[in-house]
Amino acid sequence: MSPFPGANAARSDAAYVLVGAPLDRSTSFRPGTRFGPDQVRRYARGFEDYDHHTDTGFSDCEVHDAGDIEPWADADDYLDFLADQLRDARDDATPLLVGGEHTVSIAGVRAIEPDVFVCLDAHLDLREELGGDPLSHSTVTRHALEVTDRAVVLGARAGSEAEWARASEADVEVVPPESVPGWSAEFDGDESVYLSVDIDAADPSVAPGTGTPEPFGLSSREMRDVVRDVAPHARGFDVVEVNDRDDGQAAVLGAKLLRAFVFAHVDGR
């Protein structure tokens, strides 16, 4: 495995720790997220190190690539272990998690214990279970709400009747795709935030390499603007649900959004 380009910092010097989590166990339509971390690293190779928007080089951002944590059969146990690793990283750095299916975000949220879960996602992910699996990728927002005070789901356009009913409660804010360009991050002064990017928030014409594509989604620019807006408030980040079923479009976007998060986070410190 080649590390994420520009993630050259030693662990002891790192301000950001990138961890791959190639979990691929509950994808309900097109599997392949086990290849997500490698795809994201691979398709980041073509980027310039320098970011004109923030006047910063990625290799100057003190990012350490800790490699992948390979999953095993017991998903509960795997998520506990992954959360412990991210908790260790959180002590002196900001964790950057690269999935894998969206289920890995549960570990990220448990490690950070934020007040607010902000998510770019085509789906509400508020199910209690799917096919008898309480750790399905479609349950992530519900699990996040076991830790956080509230959730903001940007770009959501799909969910069951029960999920939309759950989303109408006071602790969930759903921002439909057409309203995302007008949305801006507003948090109370001491609220901590975790930002999760499910690549299927993008329109499938932008990022077809994902497990459950959903039309009428966001543009890459709209997703970048949200990431830049939320990043200065965030204590942890993930990008998930990239697979290998396209020519790299989803991985390019995922890698670019990870870099956008780091640049904006550094700029906001």
Side-chain angles (χ1 to χ4, degrees):
M1 180 205 79
S2 298
F4 192 93
N8 302 325
R11 176 63 189 91
S12 56
D13 300 327
Y16 301 89
V17 176
L18 188 156
V19 176
L23 186 68
D24 191 5
R25 57 173 290 279
S26 75
T27 305
S28 47
F29 185 48
R30 296 194 305 178
T33 53
R34 71 195 65 181
F35 303 110
D38 279 348
Q39 287 282 97
V40 169
R41 292 182 177 102
R42 175 185 176 194
Y43 282 94
R45 293 177 194 162
F47 300 150
E48 296 283 356
D49 187 66
Y50 177 71
D51 177 59
H52 177 66
H53 182 72
T54 57
D55 187 27
T56 308
F58 190 78
S59 57
D60 296 325
C61 293
E62 300 174 317
V63 181
H64 172 73
D65 189 337
D68 291 352
I69 297 177
E70 295 292 336
W72 54 86
D74 187 332
D76 250 331
D77 190 54
Y78 175 71
L79 292 177
D80 285 345
F81 182 82
L82 183 58
D84 283 343
Q85 300 305 303
L86 297 171
R87 209 171 279 120
D88 288 344
R90 178 205 62 183
D91 287 343
D92 59 356
T94 300
L96 309 169
L97 182 61
V98 181
E101 65 180 58
H102 207 169
T103 304
V104 301
S105 301
I106 297 171
V109 172
R110 287 175 179 171
I112 302 300
E113 299 182 337
D115 298 310
V116 188
F117 177 67
V118 179
C119 185
L120 282 157
D121 200 330
H123 309 92
L124 294 172
D125 286 355
L126 282 165
R127 292 178 184 269
E128 294 184 1
E129 53 81 25
L130 184 63
D133 181 4
L135 290 176
S136 160
H137 65 111
S138 62
T139 66
V140 172
T141 306
R142 181 176 288 273
H143 281 290
L145 285 165
E146 295 170 356
V147 177
T148 67
D149 295 331
R150 61 189 179 97
V152 182
V153 187
L154 296 136
R157 50 200 182 274
S160 68
E161 184 176 0
E163 286 179 281
W164 284 108
R166 177 65 183 86
S168 68
E169 296 182 26
D171 58 352
V172 180
E173 177 185 1
V174 178
V175 183
E178 60 271 21
S179 299
V180 168
W183 181 86
S184 61
E186 294 181 2
F187 306 107
D188 293 340
D190 58 350
E191 276 189 319
S192 58
V193 177
Y194 184 91
L195 176 59
S196 176
V197 175
D198 185 328
I199 209 69
D200 70 21
D203 191 83
S205 62
V206 174
T210 192
T212 318
E214 191 72 38
F216 313 123
L218 301 175
S219 71
S220 55
R221 184 176 295 109
E222 289 166 345
M223 293 177 71
R224 180 205 63 188
D225 290 347
V226 168
V227 169
R228 283 179 174 172
D229 196 22
V230 175
H233 308 276
R235 296 184 183 175
F237 170 85
D238 68 55
V239 57
V240 298
E241 294 287 347
V242 172
N243 68 24
D244 62 341
R245 300 295 187 99
D246 65 4
D247 292 325
Q249 297 98 317
V252 165
L253 179 58
K256 202 72 174 179
L257 293 175
L258 184 150
R259 284 168 47 107
F261 175 86
V262 172
F263 286 130
H265 197 265
V266 168
D267 200 45
R269 287 192 304 200

